[in-house]
């Protein structure tokens, strides 16, 4: 039977690095198993905040990729202020760390480029894809944001093809995301953002959310919303393996089989690791204070403790840590390829994940949590109370979630895990993680495509 065609409009595609590229890269991998032929539409000359050439090997063979040129103003913004390069990843200087250049750049970003700086790709893309869809008999169009400008491409195509099924995939919320209030919007700009978002919700046949709370919020705002979370790539046979010998995203079975048990358990140090991008808005200052106190007051912990960063950590956060007793315990490896980052996960004792502190962010489920789950390691999480992340950790018995106001309970949790590590009993089996495998999630996607 001939496969149906799904056109996936995405800004992030290999060699882009970071979590934004993973979702539809993996959906594209498994969609053919469920009767769908994926076609990728992506910029020819994008300005990616991170590059990861290793992800190119995960692009399915013979997949059709269509590209057109895009113009973005980021080069001009970075000339005004070098810190503007963080905007490409949704990061901002906040509070006392904001210079006047940062304030000006944020104001320009929020009020001049609505919804974002990729908006200049919308009209030429609609014009190009109108003809492409006619010639190639596309059954479904997907737009993936952020950048939310891509949803405006879907909106334009829906107006031209009312019977074409359009799925708007929100990897993050638009006006409900925590940094939205930091954009220094005028009243008219705020109204425009919200009007455009409302048009997307009302016109898309389905609005996908990556968390349970986001899906509920989108429905309240008029969307036909369904939650399909992110996940990890795993074959069914490896789900029961111990000591993180899981076939997780982009790590081959051979790689993990060549990793010794001692390496996986990292027996020489009790290591708390953060993998990914960490900006000021998600900085767990109470964790640093708790760890600083532990290394000062507990000689045994201090002798055996290591804090490891893999990825891009905001300079202000690093400066804060380097001015504390934690300095001599820190290992900052910088950005590593996805394969190497996974190896570092597997060699850690405890994995750290952070979210924005405000209640409006309780629906954000950072994509890395699913890779964390697949390692079998315990997770320490920070974010608002009653967060979706907390629900997942409880359901899978994989760690503990804390608010940014917790203090003593953090130290108790870390010391509990440290004692287990010393006795060789830290490994704790997770449960119910099969639901988050990429293939199972793609099956769920395929069911709503028809």
């Amino acid at each position: 039977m001939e496969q149906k065609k799904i056109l996936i409009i995405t800004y992030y595609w290999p060699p882009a690095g970071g979590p934004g590229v993973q979702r539809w890269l993996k959906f594209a991998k498994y969609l053919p198993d469920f009767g769908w032929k994926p076609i990728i539409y992506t910029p020819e000359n994008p300005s990616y905040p991170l590059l990861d050439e290793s992800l190119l090997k995960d692009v399915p063979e013979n997949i059709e990729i269509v590209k057109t040129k895009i113009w973005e103003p980021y080069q001009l913004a970075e000339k005004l202020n070098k810190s503007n390069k963080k905007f490409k990843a949704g990061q901002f200087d906040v509070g006392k760390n904001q210079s006047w250049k940062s304030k000006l750049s944020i104001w320009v970003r929020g009020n001049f480029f609505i919804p974002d700086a990729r908006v200049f790709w919308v009209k030429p893309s609609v014009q190009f894809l109108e003809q492409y869809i006619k010639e190639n008999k596309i059954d479904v169009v997907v737009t993936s944001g952020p950048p939310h400008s891509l949803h405006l491409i879907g909106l334009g195509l829906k107006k031209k093809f009312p019977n074409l099924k359009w799925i708007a995939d929100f990897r993050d919320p638009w006006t409900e995301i925590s940094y939205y209030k930091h954009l220094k919007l005028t009243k008219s700009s705020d109204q425009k953002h919200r009007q455009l978002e409302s048009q997307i919700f009302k016109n898309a046949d389905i609005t996908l959310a990556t968390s349970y709370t986001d899906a509920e919020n989108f429905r309240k705002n008029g969307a036909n919303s369904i939650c399909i979370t992110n996940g990890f790539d795993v074959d069914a046979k490896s789900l029961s393996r111990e000591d993180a010998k899981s076939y997780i995203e982009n790590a081959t079975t051979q790689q993990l089989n060549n990793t010794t048990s001692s390496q996986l358990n990292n027996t020489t140090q009790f290591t708390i690791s953060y993998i990914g991008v960490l900006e000021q808005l998600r900085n767990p200052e109470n964790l640093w204070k708790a760890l600083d106190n532990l290394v000062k007051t507990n000689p045994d912990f201090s002798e055996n403790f290591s804090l490891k960063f893999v990825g891009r950590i905001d300079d202000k956060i690093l400066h804060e840590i380097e001015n504390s007793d934690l300095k001599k315990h820190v290992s900052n490896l910088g950005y590593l390829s996805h394969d190497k980052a996974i190896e570092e996960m597997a060699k850690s004792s405890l994995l750290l994940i952070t979210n924005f502190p405000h209640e409006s962010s309780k629906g954000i489920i950072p994509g890395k949590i699913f890779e964390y789950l697949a390692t079998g390691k315990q997770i320490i999480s920070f974010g608002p109370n009653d967060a979706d992340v907390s629900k997942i950790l409880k359901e899978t018995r994989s760690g503990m979630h804390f608010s940014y106001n917790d203090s003593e309970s953090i130290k108790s949790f870390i010391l509990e895990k440290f004692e287990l590590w010393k006795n060789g009993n830290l490994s704790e089996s997770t449960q119910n993680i099969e639901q988050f495998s990429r293939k199972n999630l793609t099956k769920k996607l395929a069911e709503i495509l028809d």
Side-chain angles (χ1 to χ4, degrees):
M1 188 172 69
E2 186 177 357
Q3 290 184 318
K4 295 181 180 180
K5 295 180 181 179
I6 178 171
L7 177 66
I8 300 165
I9 302 173
T10 178
Y11 181 84
Y12 295 104
W13 191 254
V21 69
Q22 297 289 331
R23 185 169 171 84
W24 286 95
L25 178 61
K26 296 303 179 180
F27 280 145
K29 174 182 177 179
Y30 289 113
L31 276 168
D33 294 344
F34 300 99
W36 287 89
K37 177 184 178 181
I39 300 166
I40 306 301
Y41 177 70
T42 195
E44 182 179 323
N45 55 325
S47 180
Y48 292 140
L50 294 171
L51 294 175
D52 189 344
E53 301 285 344
S54 71
L55 293 179
L56 288 168
K57 72 179 185 303
D58 292 315
V59 177
E61 290 186 16
N62 303 319
I63 190 171
E64 183 177 347
I65 301 175
V66 180
K67 298 182 178 183
T68 63
K69 289 187 176 181
I70 185 174
W71 181 83
E72 304 176 63
Y74 281 114
Q75 288 183 337
L76 297 175
E78 287 172 29
K79 286 182 180 179
L80 176 64
N81 184 5
K82 288 184 179 180
S83 68
N84 285 343
K85 63 185 178 181
K86 295 191 281 189
F87 291 178
K88 290 186 282 190
Q91 299 176 50
F92 301 92
D93 287 331
V94 295
K96 62 184 179 181
N97 293 320
Q98 277 190 349
S99 66
W100 70 267
K101 287 185 178 180
S102 292
K103 292 178 181 178
L104 175 61
S105 299
I106 292 169
W107 184 84
V108 170
R109 182 249 193 252
N111 294 283
F112 277 68
F113 307 122
I114 299 176
D116 50 64
R118 280 83 178 208
V119 70
F120 302 100
W121 198 45
V122 174
K123 286 185 178 180
S125 293
V126 172
Q127 292 171 356
F128 174 83
L129 291 175
E130 179 181 9
Q131 188 62 31
Y132 183 89
I133 289 171
K134 288 178 181 177
E135 295 174 354
N136 291 274
K137 297 181 180 178
I138 301 298
D139 296 287
V140 174
V141 167
V142 173
T143 55
S144 183
H148 296 303
S149 287
L150 273 64
H151 296 313
L152 301 186
I153 298 174
L155 183 63
L157 293 174
K158 186 67 173 178
K159 291 178 179 178
K160 294 181 180 296
F161 303 98
N163 295 324
L164 180 66
K165 191 167 188 175
W166 169 33
I167 295 178
D169 178 51
F170 280 74
R171 301 190 318 277
D172 287 322
W174 183 337
T175 61
E176 295 301 321
I177 199 164
S178 287
Y179 65 71
Y180 181 79
K181 65 178 177 294
H182 292 283
L183 293 178
K184 304 183 186 299
L185 299 175
T186 65
K187 185 176 180 180
S188 61
S189 294
D190 176 55
Q191 288 177 341
K192 187 171 182 181
H193 276 279
R194 295 183 185 280
Q195 288 169 356
L196 289 173
E197 180 185 51
S198 179
Q199 288 183 48
I200 306 303
F201 287 158
K202 291 177 181 177
N203 285 279
D205 294 277
I206 295 173
T207 298
L208 285 184
T210 58
S211 76
Y212 319 115
T213 298
D214 284 348
E216 182 181 348
N217 289 338
F218 294 165
R219 286 192 289 270
K220 289 178 181 177
N221 287 306
N224 177 25
S225 189
I226 297 172
C227 174
I228 299 183
T229 68
N230 290 309
F232 55 84
D233 210 9
V234 61
D235 64 24
K237 293 182 295 183
S238 64
L239 284 171
S240 61
R241 288 163 136 191
E242 296 180 352
D243 294 328
K245 286 203 165 205
S246 303
Y247 177 49
I248 54 182
E249 292 211 62
N250 297 310
T252 64
T253 303
Q254 187 64 41
Q255 279 179 305
L256 289 172
N257 284 339
N258 289 339
T259 305
T260 66
S261 178
S262 62
Q263 285 175 313
L264 285 166
N265 289 313
N266 197 27
T267 55
T268 59
Q269 291 274 285
F270 176 74
T271 305
I272 297 178
S273 296
Y274 183 90
I275 316 292
V277 177
L278 182 60
E279 70 269 51
Q280 294 168 43
L281 292 174
R282 295 187 293 112
N283 180 20
E285 294 182 83
N286 52 340
L287 173 63
W288 312 141
K289 290 176 182 177
L291 292 173
D292 186 52
N293 179 266
L294 285 171
V295 299
K296 285 178 179 177
T297 61
N298 189 320
D300 189 20
F301 183 85
S302 181
E303 183 180 348
N304 291 283
F305 171 65
S306 174
L307 176 61
K308 180 169 61 183
F309 293 115
V310 178
R312 191 175 65 223
I313 312 303
D314 190 279
D315 291 340
K316 306 291 193 309
I317 298 175
L318 289 175
H319 180 72
E320 174 187 347
I321 293 173
E322 287 173 358
N323 285 330
S324 72
D325 283 80
L326 288 177
K327 180 178 180 179
K328 59 181 178 291
H329 298 273
V330 172
S331 174
N332 184 13
L333 304 185
Y335 184 80
L336 300 179
S337 71
H338 198 229
D339 288 355
K340 294 294 183 182
I342 286 169
E343 290 178 14
E344 295 301 330
M345 288 183 201
K347 291 187 288 184
S348 302
S349 312
L350 197 60
L351 295 168
L352 168 64
I353 194 165
T354 67
N355 197 353
F356 302 106
H358 307 290
E359 184 180 356
S360 60
S361 299
K362 69 179 184 178
I364 295 177
I365 305 175
K368 72 170 70 67
I369 191 174
F370 302 106
E371 292 181 329
Y372 281 10
L373 286 174
T375 67
K377 302 291 181 176
Q378 285 288 288
I379 298 166
I380 181 169
S381 168
F382 289 85
N385 292 322
D386 300 319
D388 286 8
V389 166
S390 179
K391 177 181 177 180
I392 290 174
L393 294 181
K394 289 177 182 177
E395 184 178 342
T396 58
R397 292 173 52 190
S398 55
M400 186 71 71
H401 179 78
F402 298 92
S403 77
Y404 284 91
N405 296 319
D406 287 322
S407 56
E408 289 302 317
S409 56
I410 297 171
K411 286 196 290 184
S412 297
F413 175 79
I414 292 172
L415 284 174
E416 174 191 338
K417 299 305 175 187
F418 175 66
E419 292 299 324
L420 288 170
W421 171 82
K422 279 203 307 179
N423 297 324
N425 296 320
L426 181 57
S427 180
E428 299 179 26
S429 59
T430 57
Q431 63 181 21
N432 301 324
I433 68 168
E434 297 90 344
Q435 60 183 306
F436 300 117
S437 75
R438 294 284 189 180
K439 189 161 188 176
N440 283 338
L441 292 168
T442 308
K443 180 181 179 182
K444 183 176 180 181
L445 172 65
E447 288 171 354
I448 69 173
L449 291 179
D450 291 319

